[in-house]
Amino acid sequence: MDDHEITRARLVMLGRQGAGKGTQCVRLAAHFGEPHISTGDMLRAAVAAGTKMGLRVKDIMDSGALVSDELMINVIAERLELPDATRGYILDGFPRTVPQGEELDEITADRPLHVVINLDVPEEVVIERITKRRVCSTCGTNYSTDVPPTRNWTCDVCGGEVVQRPDDTEEAVLERLALYASETLPLVPFYDERGVLLSVDGLGEADDVTARLIAAVDDRLVARR
Ligand code: AMP
């Protein structure tokens, strides 16, 4: 292992929808200096740009269902080839199924995962968080009905329109949580068996959760060296 390698972080963030994965991954990315790779953000950008892939996935996403493993594996394999991700990465929203996890092992065989975080927040808490969530349709900044933008659902950051994501309605949320339990939760024992799982309590103020995450991940990274 060379000196440069010692400073890298290769992380996956698992957790229910609304557990705060996006917010925390942005912060971990800044802290560790690694790219934040969110498959949900990549797909939403493709939908907004009206690309062929965007047209293919829009209805699936709006209903709360999962996009096929095959398409997602291609998306992530291409993304992980870009120069910023060749040594470190923070994955958010991928893998979402055991087949995706198995494929990720292959894709990253030359730069294996250090830590898989399971950001733990109970189901009843995330249902309330998600149905209150509002997001800027232009830049993606998160708000909620409890903490709205200062001016009439206009984004404080970019002036874009702040809306409810089509997949944040109660019906879609219940579908997404059921899929999380059946498709994504099996990744917890999958990574536990590999000795890389780290469960972190996701309840409380975002800043406290960030501090908890950084301390726990740092510990693990140091222990691996
Ligand atoms: P997210 O923002 O991570 O909740 O993702 C939004 C939607 O994008 C999901 O509900 C799925 O429809 C789709 N999606 C994102 N990542 C994946 C993935 N790894 N596998 C399948 N579908 C995905």
Side-chain angles (χ1 to χ4, degrees), residues 129 132-136 141-151 153-156 162 205:
R129 278 191 194 170
K132 285 184 171 177
R133 177 160 70 184
R134 299 295 180 270
V135 57
C136 172
T141 299
N142 274 318
Y143 298 92
S144 82
T145 51
D146 292 341
V147 189
T150 40
R151 281 173 304 126
W153 301 108
T154 301
C155 180
D156 292 337
V162 174
E205 293 297 320

Side-chain angles (χ1 to χ4, degrees), residues 154-207:
T154 301
C155 180
D156 292 337
V157 178
C158 77
E161 191 190 358
V162 174
V163 297
Q164 184 174 43
R165 270 169 52 175
D167 57 350
D168 277 352
T169 59
E170 192 160 352
E171 192 189 355
V173 167
L174 294 177
E175 159 84 6
R176 289 161 71 206
L177 286 171
L179 276 173
Y180 185 79
S182 65
E183 304 298 319
T184 309
L185 222 45
L187 284 167
V188 169
F190 176 89
Y191 284 121
D192 201 15
E193 277 161 25
R194 287 163 169 72
V196 289
L197 189 75
L198 175 68
S199 275
V200 175
D201 181 2
L203 282 176
E205 293 297 320
D207 287 351

Side-chain angles (χ1 to χ4, degrees), residues 17 39-40 43-44 60-61 64-67 72 93-94 96 100 165 167 176:
Q17 293 77 8
T39 44
L43 294 178
R44 277 185 288 278
I60 301 174
M61 290 179 73
L66 288 179
V67 173
M72 293 314 307
F94 190 97
R96 234 7 184 261
Q100 291 182 14
R165 270 169 52 175
D167 57 350
R176 289 161 71 206

Side-chain angles (χ1 to χ4, degrees), residues 80-92:
L80 287 174
E81 265 176 31
L82 296 184
D84 65 339
T86 52
R87 300 177 76 95
Y89 46 79
I90 301 197
L91 296 184
D92 168 8

Side-chain angles (χ1 to χ4, degrees), residues 29-140:
H31 177 82
F32 290 108
E34 305 293 2
H36 169 211
I37 301 178
S38 156
T39 44
D41 286 351
M42 290 168 77
L43 294 178
R44 277 185 288 278
V47 171
T51 65
K52 219 159 114 185
M53 180 177 82
L55 294 174
R56 213 171 130 193
V57 301
K58 181 179 186 316
D59 289 346
I60 301 174
M61 290 179 73
D62 285 355
S63 74
L66 288 179
V67 173
S68 75
D69 285 341
E70 191 195 352
L71 193 149
M72 293 314 307
I73 287 161
N74 286 335
V75 166
I76 212 74
E78 259 182 37
R79 178 63 186 87
L80 287 174
E81 265 176 31
L82 296 184
D84 65 339
T86 52
R87 300 177 76 95
Y89 46 79
I90 301 197
L91 296 184
D92 168 8
F94 190 97
R96 234 7 184 261
T97 65
V98 169
Q100 291 182 14
E102 285 166 346
E103 203 63 40
L104 183 64
D105 278 352
E106 306 274 316
I107 297 169
T108 58
D110 57 341
R111 56 205 141 131
L113 275 169
H114 294 129
V115 180
V116 175
I117 301 160
N118 180 24
L119 189 61
D120 199 18
V121 177
E123 197 166 272
E124 58 278 13
V125 176
V126 299
I127 291 175
E128 192 185 338
R129 278 191 194 170
I130 301 176
T131 48
K132 285 184 171 177
R133 177 160 70 184
R134 299 295 180 270
V135 57
C136 172
S137 51
T138 307
C139 74

